[in-house]
Amino acid sequence: MTANDEYIVEILEAVGLIHHKQGEEALHSARQEEKDVIDVLVRNTGHSKFDILKALSAHFGMEMVSLGGMAIEKEVVDAVPAAVARRYKIVPVHKNENTLTVALRDPFDVETLDSLRYVLKTNVEGVVALSEEIDVALDQYYPQVDEDIGKMIGEMTAGEEGVAAVTAEEEISESDEPIIKLVNLIILEAFRRRASDIHLEPLEKKFRVRYRIDGVLHEMESPPRRLQSAIISRVKIMASMSIAEKRLPQDGRIQINVMNRDLDLRVSVLPANHGETIVMRILDKSGLMLGLPQLGFFADDQQTFERLIGLSDGIILVTGPTGSGKTTTLYACLNNINKPDRKIITVEDPVEYELAGINQVQVRADIGMTFAAALRAILRQAPNIIMIGEIRDRETAEIAVNASLTGHLVFSTLHTNDAPSAVVRLIDIGVKPFMVASSVRAIMAQRLVRRICPRCKVEHTPTESELQLLGPAAAQMQQAQLYRGRGCAECAGTGYRGRMGIYEIFVMDDTVRHMINDQVAAAELRAEARRMGMRTLREDGLRKVVAGMTTLEEVFRITMGDRD
């Protein structure tokens, strides 16, 4: 924001959105962490950024708008040249005979309105929109890249003016401009489509490109098979890998700025039958400021989880398969409890995001810096809170348990299908049952489901097959108003946009601890957890279906292999 933080807090206190103590804490945290006070308030208070900006806008007599569901007419877009819109980071939203209305990201920014009046030679009024929505609208209405991937691939396939064929023995050099541009376009398009992964896969007859968007793979237009070696070599150069090594797997990292956003791409290369297959995982640093409400917690589960992460010692485990959002949940927990009076150290492989005010340690097994070795060292650093990227072996598990029993709060992840199974997994690894019973405070299993696209959300009546899958819950669903996404340009016709978590929280009590000491089966632990009131993943998903946040189809897809 252009105004000082104290002024922002004063306004929000005056309109009653926050109380004085919240304002003081936010100002202190913003100074300590060198962050925007609005981002700190979003994290600490549970208010959305939209609500905060709406209150600030109202103070200045400005309207707050949502650009997500707005279709802007072409004549309005044409009223502002692309260079002007991008320079001032504004989007025109309405035009009448005498006045042009533009969306700003900052209600304090009167200088931009004055500059636009001078540049455009017309009266300009402002409304306020979220910066993320303005960035999306700028990309939609004022695209930066003239060529799209399809056009470029077409030119290359034509042959005469494209890139010469590259055989398996040849490599790409830094001067091969069209290949460099094509790889950059593949990454840019993945970012525009909100993809989490880019998959480059050599097959027998084609070189396939796929993006994982909201957890589902979508196939893109494929480059010519003859460009396979050149594209793979270019990615290897960007990731500082050896382009000569084609027999062994390699890992690397690409740091890149895309449309004023700093991205990290974790790159994995794996030799396969028809060449090396590459997966680039996109890590968007700007998307890290997540609070617990944004993850998908309902108020009751959030209250339980906030109580658990506020404990002074013990182990809290987050379980689920790869790609289920476990690391994001742990980062959100650390953001929530990151205060100046607490020392937090993480041990990760790899360190995915840098967190302000937190000491993060990178595992390097090649030089003996394993999870266990790092944990032994950091315990001498007198931390209050420890986050272990993953418990993989007995040594790591035992050090984590001992740390929790000596006054540390330990967060970690484990690969199990449900929460109660994590207890059995720890015992299988080699931790003694009484140590598990004494140290573990709670286990949370999670999955990610896609959210219904808000722009094309329509009412939906469940089908007979859906009702049959629901079983006893069918009667409840027949009474509820359900929704689905019809499909629009905003969600690329899928009916979904974004993801959220569904959760299964298993809190330990004395009865469960006695059962763990007796080494009962996971099924018995699960039955006891259900008796205590634990909701299953499917039950939490169905709550979110009833709330209009996701669909029955999506919950069934994610929880089909889980027990009710």
Side-chain angles (χ1 to χ4, degrees):
M1 304 295 288
T2 54
N4 60 54
D5 290 349
E6 289 84 357
Y7 189 32
I8 292 171
V9 168
E10 281 179 20
I11 294 171
L12 296 177
E13 288 178 8
V15 299
L17 194 67
I18 63 172
H19 53 69
H20 184 64
K21 186 178 179 182
Q22 287 177 319
E24 284 187 335
E25 289 176 351
L27 288 171
H28 179 73
S29 296
R31 282 191 292 268
Q32 289 288 320
E33 301 170 24
E34 297 182 354
K35 290 182 179 176
D36 191 307
V37 73
I38 289 182
D39 290 332
V40 175
L41 285 167
V42 169
R43 182 187 72 195
N44 291 356
T45 66
H47 290 303
S48 68
K49 192 173 183 180
F50 187 94
D51 291 338
I52 292 173
L53 284 176
K54 186 176 180 180
L56 293 172
S57 305
H59 179 78
F60 292 100
M62 298 174 74
E63 183 186 353
M64 184 77 190
V65 300
S66 175
L67 299 180
M70 186 181 293
I72 302 172
E73 296 177 0
K74 188 177 185 301
E75 64 172 337
V76 177
V77 174
D78 293 342
V80 180
V84 173
R86 287 202 167 273
R87 178 184 174 187
Y88 293 101
K89 296 180 180 178
I90 57 95
V91 175
V93 295
H94 181 68
K95 185 176 185 292
N96 60 26
E97 201 169 307
N98 303 314
T99 304
L100 176 69
T101 304
V102 301
L104 308 163
R105 60 191 69 210
D106 184 351
F108 297 90
D109 191 6
V110 292
E111 290 182 8
T112 290
L113 292 177
D114 290 339
S115 299
L116 288 171
R117 292 182 186 112
Y118 176 78
V119 170
L120 300 175
K121 310 299 183 193
T122 188
N123 184 39
V124 178
E125 291 184 354
V127 294
V128 181
L130 293 174
S131 56
E132 297 87 349
E133 292 186 351
I134 289 177
D135 290 339
V136 170
L138 283 172
D139 294 336
Q140 181 179 351
Y141 296 108
Y142 301 103
Q144 282 184 304
V145 183
D146 294 329
E147 315 99 318
D148 62 11
I149 293 176
K151 180 181 175 184
M152 189 163 191
I153 288 172
E155 290 174 355
M156 290 182 166
T157 308
E160 279 123 32
E161 299 186 14
V163 177
V166 181
T167 66
E169 289 74 30
E170 293 173 324
E171 303 297 351
I172 185 174
S173 70
E174 287 283 2
S175 62
D176 289 325
E177 179 69 27
I179 289 293
I180 293 172
K181 189 176 289 186
L182 176 58
V183 172
N184 289 344
L185 278 170
I186 289 171
I187 296 172
L188 173 61
E189 186 64 16
F191 176 74
R192 281 179 170 172
R193 291 173 179 255
R194 303 175 297 105
S196 59
D197 307 299
I198 304 169
H199 295 251
L200 307 178
E201 301 165 316
L203 304 177
E204 185 179 1
K205 295 183 179 178
K206 70 175 182 177
F207 183 54
R208 183 167 67 180
V209 176
R210 293 194 289 176
Y211 296 156
R212 189 182 300 278
I213 303 169
D214 293 335
V216 177
L217 283 169
H218 298 267
E219 188 166 349
M220 303 294 115
E221 187 167 355
S222 300
R225 180 77 165 78
R226 60 190 175 82
L227 300 179
Q228 171 184 317
S229 180
I231 291 171
I232 290 172
S233 294
R234 171 59 189 163
V235 173
K236 284 181 166 183
I237 289 170
M238 293 174 73
S240 302
M241 296 179 182
S242 169
I243 59 174
E245 180 55 75
K246 299 181 180 180
R247 300 165 300 168
L248 297 173
Q250 296 188 71
D251 292 309
R253 199 161 202 154
I254 298 172
Q255 293 184 319
I256 190 170
N257 185 281
V258 176
M259 294 187 290
N260 298 319
R261 300 272 283 274
D262 290 325
L263 301 183
D264 270 358
L265 277 67
R266 269 175 46 198
V267 185
S268 171
V269 177
L270 180 70
N273 279 354
H274 303 288
E276 293 168 294
T277 178
I278 293 180
V279 175
M280 291 181 275
R281 185 177 180 192
I282 300 173
L283 305 174
D284 182 4
K285 294 178 181 178
S286 65
L288 185 59
M289 283 297 299
L290 290 175
L292 296 180
Q294 287 77 40
L295 294 178
F297 282 101
F298 272 150
D300 53 351
D301 283 343
Q302 182 180 335
Q303 187 176 10
T304 300
F305 200 58
E306 284 179 340
R307 178 179 62 80
L308 291 168
I309 65 177
L311 296 173
S312 59
D313 57 25
I315 297 178
I316 296 173
L317 293 172
V318 181
T319 76
T322 301
S324 60
K326 300 186 297 297
T327 303
T328 301
T329 296
L330 289 181
Y331 279 155
C333 292
L334 296 182
N335 266 331
N336 189 276
I337 59 179
N338 183 15
K339 301 290 189 296
D341 61 339
R342 295 170 180 170
K343 177 157 186 172
I344 304 175
I345 304 182
T346 73
V347 185
E348 304 172 65
D349 183 21
V351 174
E352 293 190 0
Y353 297 99
E354 292 183 8
L355 301 173
I358 293 176
N359 304 279
Q360 295 172 269
V361 178
Q362 169 75 55
V363 168
R364 292 189 59 190
D366 56 329
I367 59 170
M369 186 65 159
T370 61
F371 273 109
L375 277 171
R376 279 193 295 269
I378 68 174
L379 285 173
R380 294 190 286 272
Q381 296 276 315
N384 302 105
I385 298 161
I386 301 168
M387 193 269 270
I388 306 167
E390 183 185 345
I391 292 179
R392 297 178 179 175
D393 53 46
R394 176 179 176 176
E395 190 177 10
T396 305
E398 287 184 339
I399 296 172
V401 166
N402 287 326
S404 72
L405 294 174
T406 52
H408 302 87
L409 182 62
V410 179
F411 295 97
S412 190
T413 69
L414 206 60
H415 287 283
T416 61
N417 288 330
D418 63 0
S421 298
V423 171
V424 178
R425 172 71 178 142
L426 285 175
I427 295 171
D428 286 345
I429 286 175
V431 183
K432 293 181 174 60
F434 76 90
M435 299 279 278
V436 176
S438 302
S439 60
V440 177
R441 295 286 183 266
I443 304 165
M444 184 176 76
Q446 73 173 68
R447 301 287 189 278
L448 294 176
V449 296
R450 292 180 289 176
R451 292 179 183 267
I452 298 172
C453 174
R455 187 169 183 178
C456 60
K457 186 175 180 179
V458 295
E459 294 181 0
H460 169 61
T461 303
T463 63
E464 284 298 323
S465 58
E466 287 175 334
L467 290 174
Q468 286 177 4
L469 286 170
L470 280 168
Q476 176 195 356
M477 289 297 165
Q478 283 181 315
Q479 303 298 321
Q481 179 57 67
L482 307 186
Y483 297 88
R484 66 175 180 85
R486 187 175 54 237
C488 64
E490 188 83 9
C491 60
T494 63
Y496 299 99
R497 185 173 175 83
R499 289 191 290 175
M500 65 180 174
I502 56 174
Y503 304 98
E504 179 177 283
I505 303 176
F506 180 25
V507 182
M508 302 293 162
D509 67 0
D510 289 340
T511 303
V512 171
R513 292 189 178 96
H514 287 307
M515 294 176 72
I516 295 171
N517 278 325
D518 294 338
Q519 297 191 54
V520 303
E524 291 183 54
L525 283 174
R526 186 173 182 82
E528 176 61 21
R530 299 283 284 121
R531 191 193 64 75
M532 292 164 50
M534 181 188 80
R535 267 185 297 270
T536 65
L537 289 166
R538 176 167 290 188
E539 286 170 344
D540 191 46
L542 293 179
R543 287 205 302 165
K544 285 159 186 171
V545 170
V546 173
M549 301 164 76
T550 188
T551 64
L552 283 172
E553 178 187 16
E554 184 68 3
V555 171
F556 289 147
R557 181 179 73 86
I558 295 299
T559 64
M560 190 58 74
D562 298 320
R563 287 172 290 178
D564 292 334

